[in-house]
PDB file of all heavy atoms in Angstrom:
ATOM      1  N   GLY A   1     -11.418  10.797  -6.178  1.00  0.00           N
ATOM      2  CA  GLY A   1     -11.010  10.012  -5.003  1.00  0.00           C
ATOM      3  C   GLY A   1     -12.015  10.090  -3.897  1.00  0.00           C
ATOM      4  O   GLY A   1     -13.233   9.845  -4.075  1.00  0.00           O
ATOM      5  N   VAL A   2     -11.544  10.451  -2.720  1.00  0.00           N
ATOM      6  CA  VAL A   2     -12.401  10.633  -1.538  1.00  0.00           C
ATOM      7  C   VAL A   2     -13.380  11.748  -1.825  1.00  0.00           C
ATOM      8  O   VAL A   2     -13.029  12.809  -2.304  1.00  0.00           O
ATOM      9  CB  VAL A   2     -11.581  10.923  -0.280  1.00  0.00           C
ATOM     10  CG1 VAL A   2     -12.430  11.418   0.837  1.00  0.00           C
ATOM     11  CG2 VAL A   2     -10.825   9.703   0.169  1.00  0.00           C
ATOM     12  N   VAL A   3     -14.653  11.525  -1.511  1.00  0.00           N
ATOM     13  CA  VAL A   3     -15.728  12.535  -1.603  1.00  0.00           C
ATOM     14  C   VAL A   3     -16.517  12.486  -0.305  1.00  0.00           C
ATOM     15  O   VAL A   3     -16.532  11.478   0.408  1.00  0.00           O
ATOM     16  CB  VAL A   3     -16.656  12.301  -2.810  1.00  0.00           C
ATOM     17  CG1 VAL A   3     -15.957  12.543  -4.107  1.00  0.00           C
ATOM     18  CG2 VAL A   3     -17.233  10.880  -2.785  1.00  0.00           C
ATOM     19  N   PHE A   4     -17.158  13.602   0.011  1.00  0.00           N
ATOM     20  CA  PHE A   4     -17.965  13.605   1.214  1.00  0.00           C
ATOM     21  C   PHE A   4     -19.060  14.677   1.083  1.00  0.00           C
ATOM     22  O   PHE A   4     -18.994  15.618   0.295  1.00  0.00           O
ATOM     23  CB  PHE A   4     -17.136  13.900   2.444  1.00  0.00           C
ATOM     24  CG  PHE A   4     -16.623  15.312   2.564  1.00  0.00           C
ATOM     25  CD1 PHE A   4     -17.294  16.241   3.323  1.00  0.00           C
ATOM     26  CD2 PHE A   4     -15.438  15.702   1.925  1.00  0.00           C
ATOM     27  CE1 PHE A   4     -16.825  17.547   3.421  1.00  0.00           C
ATOM     28  CE2 PHE A   4     -14.963  17.002   2.035  1.00  0.00           C
ATOM     29  CZ  PHE A   4     -15.687  17.917   2.757  1.00  0.00           C
ATOM     30  N   GLU A   5     -20.119  14.456   1.885  1.00  0.00           N
ATOM     31  CA  GLU A   5     -21.196  15.425   2.004  1.00  0.00           C
ATOM     32  C   GLU A   5     -21.549  15.566   3.485  1.00  0.00           C
ATOM     33  O   GLU A   5     -21.488  14.639   4.259  1.00  0.00           O
ATOM     34  CB  GLU A   5     -22.432  14.989   1.212  1.00  0.00           C
ATOM     35  CG  GLU A   5     -22.203  15.035  -0.300  1.00  0.00           C
ATOM     36  CD  GLU A   5     -23.438  14.714  -1.087  1.00  0.00           C
ATOM     37  OE1 GLU A   5     -24.371  14.122  -0.526  1.00  0.00           O
ATOM     38  OE2 GLU A   5     -23.500  15.086  -2.256  1.00  0.00           O
ATOM     39  N   CYS A   6     -21.947  16.804   3.851  1.00  0.00           N
ATOM     40  CA  CYS A   6     -22.334  17.117   5.195  1.00  0.00           C
ATOM     41  C   CYS A   6     -23.860  17.018   5.281  1.00  0.00           C
ATOM     42  O   CYS A   6     -24.569  17.554   4.425  1.00  0.00           O
ATOM     43  CB  CYS A   6     -21.895  18.499   5.590  1.00  0.00           C
ATOM     44  SG  CYS A   6     -22.506  19.095   7.200  1.00  0.00           S
ATOM     45  N   PHE A   7     -24.376  16.325   6.319  1.00  0.00           N
ATOM     46  CA  PHE A   7     -25.805  16.196   6.525  1.00  0.00           C
ATOM     47  C   PHE A   7     -26.204  16.556   7.941  1.00  0.00           C
ATOM     48  O   PHE A   7     -25.400  16.402   8.883  1.00  0.00           O
ATOM     49  CB  PHE A   7     -26.274  14.751   6.231  1.00  0.00           C
ATOM     50  CG  PHE A   7     -26.440  14.466   4.812  1.00  0.00           C
ATOM     51  CD1 PHE A   7     -25.381  13.975   4.049  1.00  0.00           C
ATOM     52  CD2 PHE A   7     -27.679  14.599   4.181  1.00  0.00           C
ATOM     53  CE1 PHE A   7     -25.526  13.718   2.690  1.00  0.00           C
ATOM     54  CE2 PHE A   7     -27.820  14.324   2.834  1.00  0.00           C
ATOM     55  CZ  PHE A   7     -26.733  13.900   2.081  1.00  0.00           C
ATOM     56  N   ASP A   8     -27.418  17.051   8.075  1.00  0.00           N
ATOM     57  CA  ASP A   8     -28.037  17.297   9.361  1.00  0.00           C
ATOM     58  C   ASP A   8     -28.387  15.944   9.994  1.00  0.00           C
ATOM     59  O   ASP A   8     -29.112  15.130   9.388  1.00  0.00           O
ATOM     60  CB  ASP A   8     -29.290  18.152   9.147  1.00  0.00           C
ATOM     61  CG  ASP A   8     -30.103  18.392  10.412  1.00  0.00           C
ATOM     62  OD1 ASP A   8     -29.666  17.938  11.502  1.00  0.00           O
ATOM     63  OD2 ASP A   8     -31.169  19.025  10.339  1.00  0.00           O
ATOM     64  N   THR A   9     -27.843  15.654  11.167  1.00  0.00           N
ATOM     65  CA  THR A   9     -28.074  14.331  11.810  1.00  0.00           C
ATOM     66  C   THR A   9     -29.536  14.099  12.160  1.00  0.00           C
ATOM     67  O   THR A   9     -29.951  12.948  12.276  1.00  0.00           O
ATOM     68  CB  THR A   9     -27.190  14.173  13.045  1.00  0.00           C
ATOM     69  OG1 THR A   9     -27.441  15.252  13.947  1.00  0.00           O
ATOM     70  CG2 THR A   9     -25.722  14.142  12.686  1.00  0.00           C
ATOM     71  N   THR A  10     -30.295  15.194  12.371  1.00  0.00           N
ATOM     72  CA  THR A  10     -31.705  15.019  12.735  1.00  0.00           C
ATOM     73  C   THR A  10     -32.603  14.788  11.518  1.00  0.00           C
ATOM     74  O   THR A  10     -33.771  14.410  11.643  1.00  0.00           O
ATOM     75  CB  THR A  10     -32.227  16.233  13.504  1.00  0.00           C
ATOM     76  OG1 THR A  10     -32.343  17.346  12.590  1.00  0.00           O
ATOM     77  CG2 THR A  10     -31.307  16.571  14.662  1.00  0.00           C
ATOM     78  N   GLY A  11     -32.079  15.084  10.269  1.00  0.00           N
ATOM     79  CA  GLY A  11     -32.858  14.922   9.099  1.00  0.00           C
ATOM     80  C   GLY A  11     -33.828  16.086   8.860  1.00  0.00           C
ATOM     81  O   GLY A  11     -34.572  16.070   7.867  1.00  0.00           O
ATOM     82  N   THR A  12     -33.808  17.102   9.686  1.00  0.00           N
ATOM     83  CA  THR A  12     -34.672  18.270   9.456  1.00  0.00           C
ATOM     84  C   THR A  12     -34.352  18.971   8.184  1.00  0.00           C
ATOM     85  O   THR A  12     -35.249  19.357   7.433  1.00  0.00           O
ATOM     86  CB  THR A  12     -34.550  19.221  10.689  1.00  0.00           C
ATOM     87  OG1 THR A  12     -34.856  18.522  11.893  1.00  0.00           O
ATOM     88  CG2 THR A  12     -35.514  20.389  10.499  1.00  0.00           C
ATOM     89  N   VAL A  13     -33.045  19.177   7.929  1.00  0.00           N
ATOM     90  CA  VAL A  13     -32.655  19.703   6.648  1.00  0.00           C
ATOM     91  C   VAL A  13     -32.534  18.534   5.697  1.00  0.00           C
ATOM     92  O   VAL A  13     -31.606  17.717   5.793  1.00  0.00           O
ATOM     93  CB  VAL A  13     -31.270  20.462   6.702  1.00  0.00           C
ATOM     94  CG1 VAL A  13     -30.852  21.017   5.379  1.00  0.00           C
ATOM     95  CG2 VAL A  13     -31.358  21.576   7.770  1.00  0.00           C
ATOM     96  N   GLY A  14     -33.495  18.392   4.823  1.00  0.00           N
ATOM     97  CA  GLY A  14     -33.657  17.155   4.074  1.00  0.00           C
ATOM     98  C   GLY A  14     -32.754  16.971   2.889  1.00  0.00           C
ATOM     99  O   GLY A  14     -33.040  16.136   2.001  1.00  0.00           O
ATOM    100  N   ARG A  15     -31.656  17.677   2.785  1.00  0.00           N
ATOM    101  CA  ARG A  15     -30.765  17.500   1.682  1.00  0.00           C
ATOM    102  C   ARG A  15     -29.319  17.766   2.191  1.00  0.00           C
ATOM    103  O   ARG A  15     -29.080  18.209   3.333  1.00  0.00           O
ATOM    104  CB  ARG A  15     -31.087  18.521   0.561  1.00  0.00           C
ATOM    105  CG  ARG A  15     -31.170  19.966   0.995  1.00  0.00           C
ATOM    106  CD  ARG A  15     -31.283  20.899  -0.158  1.00  0.00           C
ATOM    107  NE  ARG A  15     -30.103  20.815  -1.032  1.00  0.00           N
ATOM    108  CZ  ARG A  15     -29.806  21.686  -1.986  1.00  0.00           C
ATOM    109  NH1 ARG A  15     -30.624  22.693  -2.189  1.00  0.00           N
ATOM    110  NH2 ARG A  15     -28.757  21.574  -2.709  1.00  0.00           N
ATOM    111  N   SER A  16     -28.370  17.469   1.331  1.00  0.00           N
ATOM    112  CA  SER A  16     -26.971  17.703   1.689  1.00  0.00           C
ATOM    113  C   SER A  16     -26.758  19.206   2.035  1.00  0.00           C
ATOM    114  O   SER A  16     -27.247  20.097   1.312  1.00  0.00           O
ATOM    115  CB  SER A  16     -26.062  17.328   0.519  1.00  0.00           C
ATOM    116  OG  SER A  16     -24.771  17.763   0.722  1.00  0.00           O
ATOM    117  N   VAL A  17     -26.063  19.461   3.119  1.00  0.00           N
ATOM    118  CA  VAL A  17     -25.743  20.864   3.512  1.00  0.00           C
ATOM    119  C   VAL A  17     -24.676  21.425   2.603  1.00  0.00           C
ATOM    120  O   VAL A  17     -24.733  22.555   2.151  1.00  0.00           O
ATOM    121  CB  VAL A  17     -25.388  20.946   4.998  1.00  0.00           C
ATOM    122  CG1 VAL A  17     -25.070  22.375   5.384  1.00  0.00           C
ATOM    123  CG2 VAL A  17     -26.515  20.381   5.861  1.00  0.00           C
ATOM    124  N   PHE A  18     -23.642  20.616   2.392  1.00  0.00           N
ATOM    125  CA  PHE A  18     -22.566  20.992   1.439  1.00  0.00           C
ATOM    126  C   PHE A  18     -21.726  19.715   1.209  1.00  0.00           C
ATOM    127  O   PHE A  18     -21.938  18.684   1.816  1.00  0.00           O
ATOM    128  CB  PHE A  18     -21.705  22.152   1.955  1.00  0.00           C
ATOM    129  CG  PHE A  18     -20.993  21.887   3.243  1.00  0.00           C
ATOM    130  CD1 PHE A  18     -19.806  21.153   3.301  1.00  0.00           C
ATOM    131  CD2 PHE A  18     -21.494  22.361   4.444  1.00  0.00           C
ATOM    132  CE1 PHE A  18     -19.160  20.901   4.489  1.00  0.00           C
ATOM    133  CE2 PHE A  18     -20.843  22.137   5.656  1.00  0.00           C
ATOM    134  CZ  PHE A  18     -19.675  21.417   5.657  1.00  0.00           C
ATOM    135  N   GLY A  19     -20.771  19.846   0.318  1.00  0.00           N
ATOM    136  CA  GLY A  19     -19.921  18.658   0.000  1.00  0.00           C
ATOM    137  C   GLY A  19     -18.604  19.058  -0.618  1.00  0.00           C
ATOM    138  O   GLY A  19     -18.326  20.226  -0.832  1.00  0.00           O
ATOM    139  N   GLY A  20     -17.772  18.053  -0.799  1.00  0.00           N
ATOM    140  CA  GLY A  20     -16.446  18.279  -1.382  1.00  0.00           C
ATOM    141  C   GLY A  20     -15.775  16.992  -1.740  1.00  0.00           C
ATOM    142  O   GLY A  20     -16.393  15.919  -1.636  1.00  0.00           O
ATOM    143  N   GLY A  21     -14.527  17.081  -2.108  1.00  0.00           N
ATOM    144  CA  GLY A  21     -13.804  15.861  -2.484  1.00  0.00           C
ATOM    145  C   GLY A  21     -12.547  16.126  -3.294  1.00  0.00           C
ATOM    146  O   GLY A  21     -12.173  17.287  -3.504  1.00  0.00           O
ATOM    147  N   ARG A  22     -11.974  15.088  -3.764  1.00  0.00           N
ATOM    148  CA  ARG A  22     -10.701  15.168  -4.501  1.00  0.00           C
ATOM    149  C   ARG A  22     -10.991  15.176  -6.000  1.00  0.00           C
ATOM    150  O   ARG A  22     -11.840  14.421  -6.475  1.00  0.00           O
ATOM    151  CB  ARG A  22      -9.815  13.976  -4.129  1.00  0.00           C
ATOM    152  CG  ARG A  22      -8.472  13.968  -4.819  1.00  0.00           C
ATOM    153  CD  ARG A  22      -7.480  13.058  -4.109  1.00  0.00           C
ATOM    154  NE  ARG A  22      -6.968  13.659  -2.894  1.00  0.00           N
ATOM    155  CZ  ARG A  22      -5.996  14.571  -2.862  1.00  0.00           C
ATOM    156  NH1 ARG A  22      -5.431  14.985  -4.008  1.00  0.00           N
ATOM    157  NH2 ARG A  22      -5.557  15.073  -1.704  1.00  0.00           N
ATOM    158  N   TYR A  23     -10.248  16.039  -6.714  1.00  0.00           N
ATOM    159  CA  TYR A  23     -10.368  16.116  -8.184  1.00  0.00           C
ATOM    160  C   TYR A  23      -8.981  16.227  -8.798  1.00  0.00           C
ATOM    161  O   TYR A  23      -8.574  17.312  -9.218  1.00  0.00           O
ATOM    162  CB  TYR A  23     -11.302  17.285  -8.579  1.00  0.00           C
ATOM    163  CG  TYR A  23     -11.001  18.612  -7.949  1.00  0.00           C
ATOM    164  CD1 TYR A  23     -10.323  19.565  -8.693  1.00  0.00           C
ATOM    165  CD2 TYR A  23     -11.396  18.920  -6.679  1.00  0.00           C
ATOM    166  CE1 TYR A  23     -10.041  20.817  -8.143  1.00  0.00           C
ATOM    167  CE2 TYR A  23     -11.130  20.173  -6.129  1.00  0.00           C
ATOM    168  CZ  TYR A  23     -10.452  21.093  -6.860  1.00  0.00           C
ATOM    169  OH  TYR A  23     -10.152  22.328  -6.310  1.00  0.00           O
ATOM    170  N   ASP A  24      -8.288  15.128  -8.883  1.00  0.00           N
ATOM    171  CA  ASP A  24      -6.895  15.124  -9.253  1.00  0.00           C
ATOM    172  C   ASP A  24      -6.609  15.363 -10.735  1.00  0.00           C
ATOM    173  O   ASP A  24      -5.468  15.716 -11.104  1.00  0.00           O
ATOM    174  CB  ASP A  24      -6.205  13.791  -8.856  1.00  0.00           C
ATOM    175  CG  ASP A  24      -6.007  13.710  -7.351  1.00  0.00           C
ATOM    176  OD1 ASP A  24      -6.079  14.731  -6.658  1.00  0.00           O
ATOM    177  OD2 ASP A  24      -5.756  12.582  -6.881  1.00  0.00           O
ATOM    178  N   ASP A  25      -7.607  15.207 -11.602  1.00  0.00           N
ATOM    179  CA  ASP A  25      -7.349  15.302 -13.016  1.00  0.00           C
ATOM    180  C   ASP A  25      -7.743  16.644 -13.648  1.00  0.00           C
ATOM    181  O   ASP A  25      -7.441  16.891 -14.802  1.00  0.00           O
ATOM    182  CB  ASP A  25      -8.135  14.203 -13.753  1.00  0.00           C
ATOM    183  CG  ASP A  25      -7.716  12.778 -13.352  1.00  0.00           C
ATOM    184  OD1 ASP A  25      -6.541  12.660 -12.905  1.00  0.00           O
ATOM    185  OD2 ASP A  25      -8.531  11.860 -13.459  1.00  0.00           O
ATOM    186  N   LEU A  26      -8.379  17.532 -12.851  1.00  0.00           N
ATOM    187  CA  LEU A  26      -8.927  18.726 -13.463  1.00  0.00           C
ATOM    188  C   LEU A  26      -7.866  19.700 -13.937  1.00  0.00           C
ATOM    189  O   LEU A  26      -8.008  20.258 -15.031  1.00  0.00           O
ATOM    190  CB  LEU A  26      -9.841  19.409 -12.461  1.00  0.00           C
ATOM    191  CG  LEU A  26     -10.767  20.506 -13.049  1.00  0.00           C
ATOM    192  CD1 LEU A  26     -11.687  19.901 -14.063  1.00  0.00           C
ATOM    193  CD2 LEU A  26     -11.575  21.191 -11.950  1.00  0.00           C
ATOM    194  N   ILE A  27      -6.818  19.907 -13.190  1.00  0.00           N
ATOM    195  CA  ILE A  27      -5.767  20.846 -13.606  1.00  0.00           C
ATOM    196  C   ILE A  27      -5.141  20.403 -14.922  1.00  0.00           C
ATOM    197  O   ILE A  27      -4.957  21.210 -15.852  1.00  0.00           O
ATOM    198  CB  ILE A  27      -4.698  20.991 -12.503  1.00  0.00           C
ATOM    199  CG1 ILE A  27      -5.307  21.427 -11.212  1.00  0.00           C
ATOM    200  CG2 ILE A  27      -3.611  21.973 -12.957  1.00  0.00           C
ATOM    201  CD1 ILE A  27      -6.030  22.744 -11.259  1.00  0.00           C
ATOM    202  N   GLU A  28      -4.813  19.145 -15.022  1.00  0.00           N
ATOM    203  CA  GLU A  28      -4.268  18.609 -16.282  1.00  0.00           C
ATOM    204  C   GLU A  28      -5.254  18.770 -17.437  1.00  0.00           C
ATOM    205  O   GLU A  28      -4.896  19.046 -18.535  1.00  0.00           O
ATOM    206  CB  GLU A  28      -3.872  17.142 -16.087  1.00  0.00           C
ATOM    207  CG  GLU A  28      -3.107  16.549 -17.263  1.00  0.00           C
ATOM    208  CD  GLU A  28      -2.608  15.145 -16.972  1.00  0.00           C
ATOM    209  OE1 GLU A  28      -2.973  14.551 -15.921  1.00  0.00           O
ATOM    210  OE2 GLU A  28      -1.898  14.569 -17.822  1.00  0.00           O
ATOM    211  N   GLY A  29      -6.518  18.577 -17.113  1.00  0.00           N
ATOM    212  CA  GLY A  29      -7.576  18.721 -18.151  1.00  0.00           C
ATOM    213  C   GLY A  29      -7.679  20.139 -18.657  1.00  0.00           C
ATOM    214  O   GLY A  29      -8.155  20.388 -19.751  1.00  0.00           O
ATOM    215  N   PHE A  30      -7.212  21.101 -17.839  1.00  0.00           N
ATOM    216  CA  PHE A  30      -7.227  22.509 -18.268  1.00  0.00           C
ATOM    217  C   PHE A  30      -5.871  22.917 -18.896  1.00  0.00           C
ATOM    218  O   PHE A  30      -5.621  24.087 -19.179  1.00  0.00           O
ATOM    219  CB  PHE A  30      -7.450  23.439 -17.049  1.00  0.00           C
ATOM    220  CG  PHE A  30      -8.909  23.650 -16.782  1.00  0.00           C
ATOM    221  CD1 PHE A  30      -9.708  22.637 -16.338  1.00  0.00           C
ATOM    222  CD2 PHE A  30      -9.515  24.875 -17.000  1.00  0.00           C
ATOM    223  CE1 PHE A  30     -11.080  22.826 -16.060  1.00  0.00           C
ATOM    224  CE2 PHE A  30     -10.843  25.107 -16.736  1.00  0.00           C
ATOM    225  CZ  PHE A  30     -11.622  24.060 -16.297  1.00  0.00           C
ATOM    226  N   GLY A  31      -5.019  21.911 -19.225  1.00  0.00           N
ATOM    227  CA  GLY A  31      -3.794  22.206 -19.892  1.00  0.00           C
ATOM    228  C   GLY A  31      -2.608  22.398 -19.003  1.00  0.00           C
ATOM    229  O   GLY A  31      -1.523  22.744 -19.491  1.00  0.00           O
ATOM    230  N   GLY A  32      -2.751  22.099 -17.705  1.00  0.00           N
ATOM    231  CA  GLY A  32      -1.630  22.289 -16.782  1.00  0.00           C
ATOM    232  C   GLY A  32      -0.901  20.961 -16.528  1.00  0.00           C
ATOM    233  O   GLY A  32      -1.215  19.922 -17.107  1.00  0.00           O
TER     234      GLY A  32
END
């Protein structure tokens, strides 16, 4: 579903700082 990544607004850190998002199917995929 929704996903996001954190970025440095100045561009000095030239890659994603961190990220996250929704993963609704993973628990069921593990047998839950």
Side-chain angles (χ1 to χ4, degrees):
V2 167
V3 291
F4 71 95
E5 291 186 340
C6 173
F7 280 87
D8 176 2
T9 55
T10 70
T12 303
V13 180
R15 52 171 298 192
S16 168
V17 179
F18 60 81
R22 181 162 284 279
Y23 52 100
D24 286 345
D25 298 335
L26 194 61
I27 302 300
E28 188 175 4
F30 273 69

